Amino acid sequence: MNFLIIFGGSSFEHEISIVSAITLKEKIKKHNLSFVFVDSNRDFYLIDKKNMKSKYFASGEYKNSQKIEITKGGFKYTKGILKKEYYVNYDAVINLIHGRDGEDGKIPGILEFYGIKAMTPSVGACAISYNKIFTKMYAKEIGVNVIEYEIVDEPKTKFEFPVIVKPARLGSSIGVSVAKNQDEFNYAFDVAKEFDDLIIIEPFIEGIEEYNLAGFKCKDEIVFSNIEK
C-alpha cells in the first residue's frame, strides 16, 4: 500500500511530530511512504524521503520542497511554466500531527470534508479527548472514576498542597507542574497560562503507578498495544 504521512503542524509538539515521522520512515519498510509537512504557518510541503532528517526542518531547508494543498481529490501541486496539476499517489493518509491541528480536530475535519481516507481520530473524538476537562466529564458520565479537579482562572485552589497545575488543552507533560506551596503554585499557574487560558488543578497523589495502553479499531475489531508501565 501507499501511505501519505502528514506531520508537523502549528503546535507546541511540532518537533515531537517530526521525530515521530522520521521514526515511522525507519519502521515501515514494506509499504511506500510519502511525506507531507505542515509548518508553523500551516503551509504544506511535499518532502522527499531522503530529506526526512531533523536538520532539514530545523534549518528551514524544507521551504525548498514542493508546496502543495489539500483539495477535493487529495493533495495537489502544480509544476512547470504551464502550471500543470499533479496529485500525490497514496491509498490512505496517516495523521501524525501531535497536539494542536492534528489532535484538536482541524486536520481530521479537513480530511473528512474532502473525503480523504485516513488513519486519524474523528472530529468528535478530538473534540472530547483534546480537552482534559471534557475527557474527565465523559469518563465520569460512563462510570469511569476520575481524580477530583477544578478549573481556575487565578492562582487559588480549594485543594491542599501539593497540587498538579496543567493546561487543559495540551499534551501530557507540556506546561505541567507540581506545586508544593503557594509561591510554587503562583509560578506554575503563570507557566500553564503561557500555553493555554484554560487551567485545570488536581490534588497530587503519592505512589501512583501509571500504565499506557494504545488501541485502534480495524473493521469490527479493536487491536490493543502492549501495556507499558
Side-chain angles (χ1 to χ4, degrees):
M1 289 187 70
N2 299 317
F3 290 106
L4 186 150
I5 314 299
I6 185 168
F7 66 104
S10 177
S11 166
F12 291 110
E13 299 170 76
H14 179 90
E15 286 77 15
I16 301 171
S17 178
I18 293 172
V19 172
S20 295
I22 293 169
T23 302
L24 201 62
K25 184 199 78 168
E26 301 302 323
K27 294 292 183 182
I28 297 182
K29 300 293 187 181
K30 64 179 181 179
H31 298 291
N32 295 319
L33 303 180
S34 299
F35 294 90
V36 169
F37 175 61
V38 184
D39 73 1
S40 57
N41 294 318
R42 296 191 171 108
D43 289 324
F44 291 72
Y45 295 87
L46 183 62
I47 307 297
D48 194 300
K49 203 170 183 178
K50 72 176 187 296
N51 291 325
M52 287 296 295
K53 300 173 184 177
S54 296
K55 185 178 179 181
Y56 188 74
F57 303 100
S59 66
E61 288 182 77
Y62 71 85
K63 292 181 180 179
N64 296 322
S65 297
Q66 176 66 54
K67 232 177 177 182
I68 64 172
E69 61 179 310
I70 306 180
T71 184
K72 193 168 185 178
F75 290 78
K76 181 181 72 174
Y77 60 96
T78 58
K79 288 183 73 174
I81 299 174
L82 299 178
K83 300 291 183 181
K84 186 175 179 181
E85 292 186 349
Y86 298 87
Y87 284 86
V88 182
N89 179 37
Y90 62 88
D91 297 304
V93 170
I94 298 177
N95 173 16
L96 208 60
I97 296 179
H98 293 247
R100 187 170 58 207
D101 289 350
E103 294 181 36
D104 64 1
K106 293 187 185 74
I107 291 296
I110 292 171
L111 295 172
E112 182 181 316
F113 182 81
Y114 285 121
I116 297 171
K117 188 184 292 185
M119 296 171 62
T120 180
S122 67
V123 176
C126 286
I128 295 173
S129 64
Y130 188 67
N131 187 315
K132 294 178 177 68
I133 296 165
F134 290 170
T135 302
K136 283 177 174 286
M137 292 169 64
Y138 178 74
K140 194 172 182 179
E141 183 66 24
I142 62 173
V144 177
N145 292 331
V146 300
I147 295 174
E148 194 177 356
Y149 68 96
E150 65 174 333
I151 303 165
V152 298
D153 55 12
E154 59 181 333
K156 293 182 179 180
T157 178
K158 66 182 181 181
F159 299 121
E160 293 183 2
F161 293 112
V163 295
I164 298 177
V165 185
K166 61 179 74 173
R169 295 168 292 202
L170 266 177
S172 57
S173 59
I174 298 175
V176 178
S177 306
V178 177
K180 299 176 182 176
N181 54 54
Q182 186 62 47
D183 286 342
E184 290 185 0
F185 183 51
N186 293 342
Y187 179 75
F189 179 85
D190 288 343
V191 169
K193 203 74 172 175
E194 288 290 321
F195 296 99
D196 196 356
D197 58 4
L198 186 61
I199 311 299
I200 183 171
I201 310 297
E202 298 169 338
F204 177 77
I205 302 174
E206 294 277 2
I208 282 183
E209 291 184 346
E210 184 174 323
Y211 295 85
N212 189 43
L213 176 65
F216 67 92
K217 189 173 184 180
C218 181
K219 296 181 180 178
D220 295 324
E221 180 185 7
I222 297 179
V223 181
F224 291 108
S225 68
N226 292 329
I227 298 176
E228 296 179 344
K229 183 175 177 179

